[in-house]
Amino acid sequence: MLIKLEDIRRYYTVGTEVVHALNGVSFEVSRGEWVAIIGQSGSGKSTLMNVIGCLDTPTAGRYWLNGKDVSNMSDNELADIRNREIGFIFQTFQLLPRDTALGNVELPLIYRGLRAKERRERARHALDQVGLSNRVTHRPNELSGGQRQRVAIARALVTEPSLLLADEPTGNLDSATGLEIIGLFEQLHRQGHTICLVTHEPTLAARCPRAIRISDGLIVKDGPGPQVALENRTERARAAAT
Amino acid sequence: MSLRVDLLEGGRIALRTLGVNRLRTLLTLTAVGIGVATLLAIVGIIQGLNGAFARQLASLGTASLNISRRPYVMTGDWWRYRNRKQLTIAQMQGLLQQSQLATAVVPEVNEDGRELTVGDESVSGVDLIGTLADFQKVWGYEVPVGRFLTDADSDAERQVAVLGSEVAERLFPGRSALGESVRLDNRPYRVIGVLGKKGQILGQSMDLLVLIPFKTFLAVYGKRDFQIDVAVDDADQLDKLEDEVVGIMRRLRSVPPGSADDFSVNRTEQLADTYRQLTSALYGVAVGVGLITLLVGGIGIMNIMLVSVRERTREIGIRRALGARRRTIVVQFLFEASLISAVGGAIGTALGLGVAKVVSLVTSLAAAVQPLTVLGGILFAATVGLIFGIWPAARAARLDPVEALRYE
């Protein structure tokens, strides 16, 4: 098992009110799986993504990532786990505007303490993997939205993480570019990467082999992507046709 | 991740960021620069002053004592000194006979602020001293032109004078004063010699003086309150000389055992002490002003760093998500604050040196800055940046990565 969550709860205090963002979530993801986490805004899926990504720690429950219990780790340990085990891909790309594509992809390797030469080699290779070997010295504002997301994917891949964690990766892209990016994810899935994709779009989740639906901080459905993501037969038929 | 990596990456980011907000960075480092410049100029002027004072004091002849009714530096009840008995010629002669260590004993009587005239030329504010031949030995005066006073001049009450170099230059510009007649308090004096130049102490000329024979002075001014200067071969013997002189004087003046001396023994070192006492307070204030300027600069750094942290909240979130530890973020921002400060410090150092140089050229104050001060200025500025960067850096590191990534 790559990911194992056991009765994960996350409560926030907003003013005097306690918000129950996650109410006891348990599931497992095997190595090489491609799982969509689907839910409407406010369902708790963002909180779940933050917990899986080790950006946030659960109030209660246990979480094992790649065999390590990360639910009670210190801030420094979590930083190292994020660096080694997780490749983030965000809706808004989250690139450093003043760095080149190469500089952005290099960044996690700097925090790993690699030497400049090795960093650059690996970053070039990662950009090559996403088809951007001719955009190495471009800055984010010189790139299209799709190219920016490819840089972000290269940055996620460069550390050879055990999990790719994507948060609405097509949310800021037009549909054609979005499909390209999904194609890239399919390719990465075939290469054996484990992918967690958080989205509110049923059509996107339907493309994943497995989907988990979250509502009010609980898992309400877990199964093959099309069945979980699409509510009725006609939607499923339409999705299958495309 | 190691601290080495933190520092390298912190430095790289800091250097890059300086180039991004050029105007803002420039304004901030100007504030620090002015602080450092102020401080350095003040320190330079102080160092220059101290150096000049030490050199001038050394030129005064340090192997001598002065016996007077009053100390050089009066503290407490000044009237105590006024009521003391005057020194007498007999006491001076007794001292000369009884002292084993003294190489010269000479009386000295003064009138300040005299005016000397020759035709239309006049010099005022001249220090008039009545004394004998050994005065030259005690104070180490050169006499490059003519001769010094002799005891015979005094015994015969001759109307002769030896001029200080500045007096001679101003009364007889471009020509020799020797043998000429000068008027002093409506009496004519023949110039028999001109003293070598001594320079200034605390901006006051040591060459604005005129010497006349001791007994001539007494006859003309009717003043009897004189001082006695005693010289010794070696400055190391001054303590012994002082003990001896005090003993002899107490006997000659019949001071009962157990009573305090009714005279004062003065040394030029006392002037140095007084100088230090007087100036240290002034320096304290001046350095304080410099420090306040630097404090203002430091607050500027803090302000700019707080703005920077806010502007770069998302960047901090990204870095944290990709594996930067809190410490990495702290080092990054501290590096930036120190770097801005150090650059400001370097500019301020150049500026401060310039000010000190201009001061030394324009005024008679010899400003001097030691090389170590320059290095100190830059390091000090960097430290100021470091200190004022702590709070903004801590704020940056405390940011929650999730919140930071969401920040617009």
Side-chain angles (χ1 to χ4, degrees), chain B residues 105-119:
Chain B
V105 177
V106 67
E108 179 189 327
V109 58
N110 299 283
E111 281 286 344
D112 296 338
R114 301 292 95 192
E115 187 179 49
L116 270 74
T117 51
V118 174

Side-chain angles (χ1 to χ4, degrees), chain B residues 7-219:
Chain B
L7 286 171
L8 281 176
E9 177 66 3
R12 197 181 66 84
I13 297 166
L15 275 173
R16 175 117 52 102
T17 319
L18 284 191
V20 174
N21 286 305
R22 285 208 188 87
L23 181 63
R24 202 165 75 183
T25 310
L26 193 73
L27 289 174
T28 311
L29 58 82
T30 303
V32 177
I34 290 171
V36 171
T38 311
L39 207 58
L40 217 65
I42 290 168
V43 169
I45 289 165
I46 291 170
Q47 283 176 350
L49 268 179
N50 286 345
F53 186 73
R55 277 196 303 281
Q56 288 159 351
L57 214 54
S59 77
L60 264 182
T62 48
S64 66
L65 297 177
N66 165 279
I67 306 163
S68 167
R69 286 203 303 161
R70 288 175 300 200
Y72 278 169
V73 184
M74 281 189 276
T75 49
D77 308 320
W78 62 270
W79 48 264
R80 266 193 317 156
Y81 306 118
R82 273 199 82 82
N83 292 339
R84 284 172 167 181
K85 284 181 290 183
Q86 290 183 356
L87 303 179
T88 66
I89 301 286
Q91 285 164 12
M92 189 198 84
Q93 280 160 351
L95 201 58
L96 187 58
Q97 283 158 13
Q98 293 175 32
S99 172
Q100 306 288 314
L101 292 165
T103 52
V105 177
V106 67
E108 179 189 327
V109 58
N110 299 283
E111 281 286 344
D112 296 338
R114 301 292 95 192
E115 187 179 49
L116 270 74
T117 51
V118 174
D120 293 340
E121 300 285 341
S122 76
V123 178
S124 54
V126 180
D127 200 4
L128 169 65
I129 301 171
T131 189
L132 295 175
D134 276 350
F135 188 82
Q136 187 190 1
K137 200 195 275 180
V138 173
W139 295 105
Y141 274 106
E142 304 277 328
V143 188
V145 177
R147 64 172 177 86
F148 200 75
L149 302 169
T150 63
D151 290 0
D153 290 332
S154 177
D155 290 336
E157 296 183 16
R158 287 187 188 127
Q159 298 276 112
V160 292
V162 175
L163 304 183
S165 63
E166 188 176 341
V167 177
E169 277 162 31
R170 283 165 61 179
L171 284 179
F172 304 98
R175 60 198 171 101
S176 171
L178 207 62
E180 299 286 339
S181 178
V182 294
R183 288 194 79 82
L184 166 63
D185 293 325
N186 286 321
R187 279 162 199 278
Y189 293 81
R190 192 167 51 85
V191 178
I192 56 167
V194 177
L195 299 173
K197 199 171 172 62
K198 280 234 174 186
Q200 299 181 328
I201 290 186
L202 295 177
Q204 209 154 20
S205 172
M206 300 307 286
D207 302 308
L208 205 58
L209 81 168
V210 56
L211 308 178
I212 61 172
F214 184 59
K215 285 181 180 163
T216 310
F217 187 110
L218 297 186

Side-chain angles (χ1 to χ4, degrees), chain A residues 75 80 82-83 99 111, chain B residues 1 16 319-320 322 325:
Chain A
D75 199 77
D80 291 348
R82 288 197 294 270
N83 184 259
D99 274 317
Y111 293 132
Chain B
M1 194 171 60
R16 175 117 52 102
R319 290 179 186 279
R320 295 275 284 134
L322 297 182
R325 294 180 172 193

Side-chain angles (χ1 to χ4, degrees), chain B residues 33 36-37 40 342-354 369 373-378:
Chain B
V36 171
L40 217 65
V343 173
I347 292 171
T349 302
L351 212 67
L353 289 181
V369 176
T373 317
V374 174
L375 189 69
I378 295 170

Side-chain angles (χ1 to χ4, degrees), chain B residues 85 249-263:
Chain B
K85 284 181 290 183
M249 287 302 287
R250 284 178 71 94
R251 244 178 296 128
L252 291 172
R253 289 167 72 88
S254 317
V255 179
S259 305
D261 296 343
D262 64 349
F263 56 92

Side-chain angles (χ1 to χ4, degrees), chain A residues 12 46 50 55-56 75-77 79-80 82-83 86 88 90 92 94-96 98-100 104 107-108 110-115 119 139 155, chain B residues 1 4-6 9 12-13 16-17 20-21 312 314-315 317-329 332 400-402 405-406 408:
Chain A
Y12 300 99
S46 289
N50 290 335
L55 287 166
D56 197 4
D75 199 77
N76 280 342
E77 286 170 321
D80 291 348
R82 288 197 294 270
N83 184 259
I86 295 160
F88 287 99
F90 298 99
T92 50
Q94 304 284 25
L95 300 175
L96 296 182
R98 290 196 284 273
D99 274 317
T100 60
N104 268 290
L107 194 59
I110 290 175
Y111 293 132
R112 191 175 284 189
L114 292 188
R115 298 202 167 273
R119 286 200 314 252
R139 282 170 213 283
R155 183 179 64 186
Chain B
M1 194 171 60
R4 189 185 67 87
V5 176
D6 282 347
E9 177 66 3
R12 197 181 66 84
I13 297 166
R16 175 117 52 102
T17 319
V20 174
N21 286 305
R312 285 151 70 193
R314 245 147 85 98
E315 176 194 320
I318 294 170
R319 290 179 186 279
R320 295 275 284 134
L322 297 182
R325 294 180 172 193
R326 285 186 202 276
R327 189 184 69 188
T328 313
I329 303 295
Q332 177 189 331
D400 174 35
V402 174
L405 280 169
R406 225 180 277 152
E408 290 300 324

